PDB file of all heavy atoms in Angstrom:
ATOM      1  N   PRO A 371      43.645  23.987 -24.330  1.00 94.00           N
ATOM      2  CA  PRO A 371      42.692  23.563 -25.345  1.00 94.00           C
ATOM      3  C   PRO A 371      43.156  24.017 -26.708  1.00 94.00           C
ATOM      4  O   PRO A 371      43.545  25.147 -26.924  1.00 94.00           O
ATOM      5  CB  PRO A 371      41.344  24.227 -25.072  1.00 94.00           C
ATOM      6  CG  PRO A 371      41.617  25.266 -24.107  1.00 94.00           C
ATOM      7  CD  PRO A 371      42.776  24.957 -23.304  1.00 94.00           C
ATOM      8  N   LYS A 372      43.359  23.026 -27.590  1.00 95.00           N
ATOM      9  CA  LYS A 372      43.783  23.393 -28.955  1.00 95.00           C
ATOM     10  C   LYS A 372      43.119  22.495 -30.009  1.00 95.00           C
ATOM     11  O   LYS A 372      42.889  21.253 -29.901  1.00 95.00           O
ATOM     12  CB  LYS A 372      45.288  22.994 -28.961  1.00 95.00           C
ATOM     13  CG  LYS A 372      46.001  23.202 -30.359  1.00 95.00           C
ATOM     14  CD  LYS A 372      47.477  22.963 -30.323  1.00 95.00           C
ATOM     15  CE  LYS A 372      47.991  23.305 -31.688  1.00 95.00           C
ATOM     16  NZ  LYS A 372      49.455  23.080 -31.707  1.00 95.00           N
ATOM     17  N   THR A 373      42.532  23.326 -30.946  1.00 94.00           N
ATOM     18  CA  THR A 373      41.773  22.627 -32.077  1.00 94.00           C
ATOM     19  C   THR A 373      42.708  21.653 -32.757  1.00 94.00           C
ATOM     20  O   THR A 373      43.766  22.094 -33.233  1.00 94.00           O
ATOM     21  CB  THR A 373      41.047  23.669 -32.942  1.00 94.00           C
ATOM     22  OG1 THR A 373      40.147  24.389 -32.167  1.00 94.00           O
ATOM     23  CG2 THR A 373      40.091  22.854 -33.868  1.00 94.00           C
ATOM     24  N   ILE A 374      42.333  20.457 -32.936  1.00 95.00           N
ATOM     25  CA  ILE A 374      43.181  19.492 -33.673  1.00 95.00           C
ATOM     26  C   ILE A 374      42.431  18.598 -34.624  1.00 95.00           C
ATOM     27  O   ILE A 374      41.238  18.322 -34.387  1.00 95.00           O
ATOM     28  CB  ILE A 374      44.076  18.656 -32.608  1.00 95.00           C
ATOM     29  CG1 ILE A 374      45.371  18.244 -33.229  1.00 95.00           C
ATOM     30  CG2 ILE A 374      43.213  17.526 -32.186  1.00 95.00           C
ATOM     31  CD1 ILE A 374      46.344  19.356 -33.131  1.00 95.00           C
ATOM     32  N   ALA A 375      43.126  18.251 -35.738  1.00 97.00           N
ATOM     33  CA  ALA A 375      42.507  17.426 -36.666  1.00 97.00           C
ATOM     34  C   ALA A 375      43.473  16.161 -36.798  1.00 97.00           C
ATOM     35  O   ALA A 375      44.745  16.271 -36.735  1.00 97.00           O
ATOM     36  CB  ALA A 375      42.216  17.898 -37.985  1.00 97.00           C
ATOM     37  N   VAL A 376      42.926  14.986 -36.876  1.00 97.00           N
ATOM     38  CA  VAL A 376      43.718  13.755 -37.030  1.00 97.00           C
ATOM     39  C   VAL A 376      43.521  13.101 -38.341  1.00 97.00           C
ATOM     40  O   VAL A 376      42.381  12.860 -38.862  1.00 97.00           O
ATOM     41  CB  VAL A 376      43.275  12.763 -35.871  1.00 97.00           C
ATOM     42  CG1 VAL A 376      44.131  11.327 -36.062  1.00 97.00           C
ATOM     43  CG2 VAL A 376      43.547  13.304 -34.479  1.00 97.00           C
ATOM     44  N   ALA A 377      44.594  12.947 -39.113  1.00 97.00           N
ATOM     45  CA  ALA A 377      44.612  12.383 -40.390  1.00 97.00           C
ATOM     46  C   ALA A 377      44.997  10.998 -40.225  1.00 97.00           C
ATOM     47  O   ALA A 377      46.027  10.506 -39.740  1.00 97.00           O
ATOM     48  CB  ALA A 377      45.589  13.038 -41.421  1.00 97.00           C
ATOM     49  N   CYS A 378      44.112  10.025 -40.710  1.00 97.00           N
ATOM     50  CA  CYS A 378      44.382   8.664 -40.712  1.00 97.00           C
ATOM     51  C   CYS A 378      44.706   8.272 -42.245  1.00 97.00           C
ATOM     52  O   CYS A 378      43.759   8.433 -43.168  1.00 97.00           O
ATOM     53  CB  CYS A 378      43.148   7.859 -40.402  1.00 97.00           C
ATOM     54  SG  CYS A 378      43.105   7.555 -38.627  1.00 97.00           S
ATOM     55  N   TRP A 379      46.007   7.919 -42.462  1.00 95.00           N
ATOM     56  CA  TRP A 379      46.452   7.666 -43.879  1.00 95.00           C
ATOM     57  C   TRP A 379      46.412   6.309 -44.302  1.00 95.00           C
ATOM     58  O   TRP A 379      46.594   5.388 -43.576  1.00 95.00           O
ATOM     59  CB  TRP A 379      47.874   8.254 -43.950  1.00 95.00           C
ATOM     60  CG  TRP A 379      48.060   9.864 -43.739  1.00 95.00           C
ATOM     61  CD1 TRP A 379      48.447  10.317 -42.612  1.00 95.00           C
ATOM     62  CD2 TRP A 379      47.745  10.865 -44.684  1.00 95.00           C
ATOM     63  NE1 TRP A 379      48.428  11.729 -42.859  1.00 95.00           N
ATOM     64  CE2 TRP A 379      47.990  12.012 -44.098  1.00 95.00           C
ATOM     65  CE3 TRP A 379      47.327  10.846 -46.079  1.00 95.00           C
ATOM     66  CZ2 TRP A 379      47.841  13.207 -44.745  1.00 95.00           C
ATOM     67  CZ3 TRP A 379      47.171  11.987 -46.722  1.00 95.00           C
ATOM     68  CH2 TRP A 379      47.415  13.168 -45.941  1.00 95.00           C
ATOM     69  N   GLY A 380      45.776   6.156 -45.601  1.00 92.00           N
ATOM     70  CA  GLY A 380      46.028   4.887 -46.271  1.00 92.00           C
ATOM     71  C   GLY A 380      47.468   4.388 -46.502  1.00 92.00           C
ATOM     72  O   GLY A 380      48.414   5.277 -46.379  1.00 92.00           O
ATOM     73  N   THR A 381      47.711   3.127 -46.823  1.00 89.00           N
ATOM     74  CA  THR A 381      49.064   2.516 -46.851  1.00 89.00           C
ATOM     75  C   THR A 381      50.030   3.288 -48.010  1.00 89.00           C
ATOM     76  O   THR A 381      51.061   3.594 -47.435  1.00 89.00           O
ATOM     77  CB  THR A 381      48.938   1.100 -47.179  1.00 89.00           C
ATOM     78  OG1 THR A 381      48.054   0.340 -46.253  1.00 89.00           O
ATOM     79  CG2 THR A 381      50.295   0.410 -47.205  1.00 89.00           C
ATOM     80  N   ALA A 382      49.437   3.512 -49.048  1.00 84.00           N
ATOM     81  CA  ALA A 382      50.348   4.103 -50.040  1.00 84.00           C
ATOM     82  C   ALA A 382      50.563   5.519 -49.783  1.00 84.00           C
ATOM     83  O   ALA A 382      51.741   5.921 -49.810  1.00 84.00           O
ATOM     84  CB  ALA A 382      49.512   4.090 -51.434  1.00 84.00           C
ATOM     85  N   ASP A 383      49.552   6.351 -49.197  1.00 89.00           N
ATOM     86  CA  ASP A 383      49.859   7.728 -48.817  1.00 89.00           C
ATOM     87  C   ASP A 383      50.785   7.700 -47.557  1.00 89.00           C
ATOM     88  O   ASP A 383      51.726   8.591 -47.480  1.00 89.00           O
ATOM     89  CB  ASP A 383      48.639   8.273 -48.290  1.00 89.00           C
ATOM     90  CG  ASP A 383      47.715   8.664 -49.507  1.00 89.00           C
ATOM     91  OD1 ASP A 383      48.206   8.780 -50.653  1.00 89.00           O
ATOM     92  OD2 ASP A 383      46.476   8.864 -49.388  1.00 89.00           O
ATOM     93  N   TRP A 384      50.696   6.804 -46.686  1.00 92.00           N
ATOM     94  CA  TRP A 384      51.565   6.814 -45.533  1.00 92.00           C
ATOM     95  C   TRP A 384      53.034   6.510 -45.829  1.00 92.00           C
ATOM     96  O   TRP A 384      53.853   7.112 -45.366  1.00 92.00           O
ATOM     97  CB  TRP A 384      51.061   5.767 -44.490  1.00 92.00           C
ATOM     98  CG  TRP A 384      51.901   5.765 -43.221  1.00 92.00           C
ATOM     99  CD1 TRP A 384      52.743   4.850 -42.668  1.00 92.00           C
ATOM    100  CD2 TRP A 384      51.767   6.904 -42.340  1.00 92.00           C
ATOM    101  NE1 TRP A 384      53.315   5.268 -41.510  1.00 92.00           N
ATOM    102  CE2 TRP A 384      52.747   6.492 -41.221  1.00 92.00           C
ATOM    103  CE3 TRP A 384      51.143   8.088 -42.207  1.00 92.00           C
ATOM    104  CZ2 TRP A 384      53.048   7.320 -39.952  1.00 92.00           C
ATOM    105  CZ3 TRP A 384      51.419   8.830 -41.052  1.00 92.00           C
ATOM    106  CH2 TRP A 384      52.275   8.572 -40.116  1.00 92.00           C
ATOM    107  N   ARG A 385      53.312   5.542 -46.859  1.00 85.00           N
ATOM    108  CA  ARG A 385      54.744   5.274 -47.178  1.00 85.00           C
ATOM    109  C   ARG A 385      55.305   6.492 -47.813  1.00 85.00           C
ATOM    110  O   ARG A 385      56.410   6.938 -47.626  1.00 85.00           O
ATOM    111  CB  ARG A 385      54.720   4.259 -48.203  1.00 85.00           C
ATOM    112  CG  ARG A 385      54.498   2.794 -47.480  1.00 85.00           C
ATOM    113  CD  ARG A 385      54.441   1.722 -48.525  1.00 85.00           C
ATOM    114  NE  ARG A 385      54.201   0.458 -47.853  1.00 85.00           N
ATOM    115  CZ  ARG A 385      53.782  -0.648 -48.560  1.00 85.00           C
ATOM    116  NH1 ARG A 385      53.426  -0.565 -49.834  1.00 85.00           N
ATOM    117  NH2 ARG A 385      53.631  -1.743 -47.881  1.00 85.00           N
ATOM    118  N   ALA A 386      54.573   7.203 -48.568  1.00 84.00           N
ATOM    119  CA  ALA A 386      54.979   8.603 -49.204  1.00 84.00           C
ATOM    120  C   ALA A 386      55.197   9.623 -48.194  1.00 84.00           C
ATOM    121  O   ALA A 386      56.195  10.462 -48.367  1.00 84.00           O
ATOM    122  CB  ALA A 386      53.987   9.003 -50.310  1.00 84.00           C
ATOM    123  N   ILE A 387      54.336   9.738 -47.260  1.00 86.00           N
ATOM    124  CA  ILE A 387      54.386  10.746 -46.208  1.00 86.00           C
ATOM    125  C   ILE A 387      55.512  10.599 -45.155  1.00 86.00           C
ATOM    126  O   ILE A 387      56.232  11.571 -44.854  1.00 86.00           O
ATOM    127  CB  ILE A 387      52.986  11.021 -45.575  1.00 86.00           C
ATOM    128  CG1 ILE A 387      52.122  11.648 -46.571  1.00 86.00           C
ATOM    129  CG2 ILE A 387      53.040  11.891 -44.413  1.00 86.00           C
ATOM    130  CD1 ILE A 387      50.606  11.540 -46.234  1.00 86.00           C
ATOM    131  N   SER A 388      55.578   9.514 -44.658  1.00 81.00           N
ATOM    132  CA  SER A 388      56.382   9.101 -43.471  1.00 81.00           C
ATOM    133  C   SER A 388      57.847   8.748 -43.853  1.00 81.00           C
ATOM    134  O   SER A 388      58.755   8.805 -43.011  1.00 81.00           O
ATOM    135  CB  SER A 388      55.879   8.046 -42.614  1.00 81.00           C
ATOM    136  OG  SER A 388      55.837   6.811 -43.329  1.00 81.00           O
ATOM    137  N   GLY A 389      57.964   8.264 -45.158  1.00 69.00           N
ATOM    138  CA  GLY A 389      59.260   7.757 -45.586  1.00 69.00           C
ATOM    139  C   GLY A 389      59.555   6.435 -44.876  1.00 69.00           C
ATOM    140  O   GLY A 389      60.669   5.913 -44.707  1.00 69.00           O
ATOM    141  N   ASP A 390      58.438   5.724 -44.506  1.00 47.00           N
ATOM    142  CA  ASP A 390      58.700   4.494 -43.802  1.00 47.00           C
ATOM    143  C   ASP A 390      59.283   3.461 -44.649  1.00 47.00           C
ATOM    144  O   ASP A 390      58.810   3.248 -45.759  1.00 47.00           O
ATOM    145  CB  ASP A 390      57.377   4.074 -43.160  1.00 47.00           C
ATOM    146  CG  ASP A 390      57.368   2.974 -42.178  1.00 47.00           C
ATOM    147  OD1 ASP A 390      58.466   2.742 -41.771  1.00 47.00           O
ATOM    148  OD2 ASP A 390      56.333   2.320 -41.737  1.00 47.00           O
ATOM    149  N   ASN A 391      60.212   2.804 -43.970  1.00 43.00           N
ATOM    150  CA  ASN A 391      60.914   1.700 -44.806  1.00 43.00           C
ATOM    151  C   ASN A 391      60.575   0.380 -44.133  1.00 43.00           C
ATOM    152  O   ASN A 391      60.853   0.169 -42.879  1.00 43.00           O
ATOM    153  CB  ASN A 391      62.326   1.722 -44.861  1.00 43.00           C
ATOM    154  CG  ASN A 391      62.995   0.791 -45.625  1.00 43.00           C
ATOM    155  OD1 ASN A 391      62.533  -0.347 -45.903  1.00 43.00           O
ATOM    156  ND2 ASN A 391      64.201   1.032 -46.063  1.00 43.00           N
ATOM    157  N   PRO A 392      59.822  -0.551 -44.713  1.00 42.00           N
ATOM    158  CA  PRO A 392      59.368  -1.842 -44.075  1.00 42.00           C
ATOM    159  C   PRO A 392      60.518  -2.685 -43.497  1.00 42.00           C
ATOM    160  O   PRO A 392      60.344  -3.432 -42.453  1.00 42.00           O
ATOM    161  CB  PRO A 392      58.639  -2.634 -45.081  1.00 42.00           C
ATOM    162  CG  PRO A 392      58.173  -1.644 -46.051  1.00 42.00           C
ATOM    163  CD  PRO A 392      59.155  -0.581 -46.141  1.00 42.00           C
ATOM    164  N   GLU A 393      61.693  -2.264 -43.937  1.00 39.00           N
ATOM    165  CA  GLU A 393      62.878  -3.083 -43.445  1.00 39.00           C
ATOM    166  C   GLU A 393      63.533  -2.535 -42.227  1.00 39.00           C
ATOM    167  O   GLU A 393      64.251  -3.041 -41.465  1.00 39.00           O
ATOM    168  CB  GLU A 393      63.971  -3.275 -44.556  1.00 39.00           C
ATOM    169  CG  GLU A 393      63.667  -3.967 -45.897  1.00 39.00           C
ATOM    170  CD  GLU A 393      64.644  -4.007 -46.798  1.00 39.00           C
ATOM    171  OE1 GLU A 393      65.630  -3.450 -46.727  1.00 39.00           O
ATOM    172  OE2 GLU A 393      64.375  -4.663 -47.773  1.00 39.00           O
ATOM    173  N   ASN A 394      63.025  -1.287 -41.930  1.00 45.00           N
ATOM    174  CA  ASN A 394      63.489  -0.716 -40.603  1.00 45.00           C
ATOM    175  C   ASN A 394      62.971  -1.421 -39.400  1.00 45.00           C
ATOM    176  O   ASN A 394      61.830  -1.918 -39.300  1.00 45.00           O
ATOM    177  CB  ASN A 394      63.039   0.707 -40.503  1.00 45.00           C
ATOM    178  CG  ASN A 394      63.748   1.753 -41.579  1.00 45.00           C
ATOM    179  OD1 ASN A 394      64.864   1.315 -42.090  1.00 45.00           O
ATOM    180  ND2 ASN A 394      63.309   2.789 -41.711  1.00 45.00           N
TER     181      ASN A 394
END
């Protein structure tokens, strides 16, 4: 058992956090 929190990120935040590139 491990206390965990799940963050659901909005589009602009997710791009900044994940470094996601739509062309990948």
Side-chain angles (χ1 to χ4, degrees):
K372 181 175 183 176
T373 302
I374 207 75
V376 176
C378 275
W379 295 98
T381 301
D383 284 341
W384 185 248
R385 286 175 181 162
I387 289 169
S388 69
D390 194 11
N391 185 342
E393 295 180 358
N394 288 344

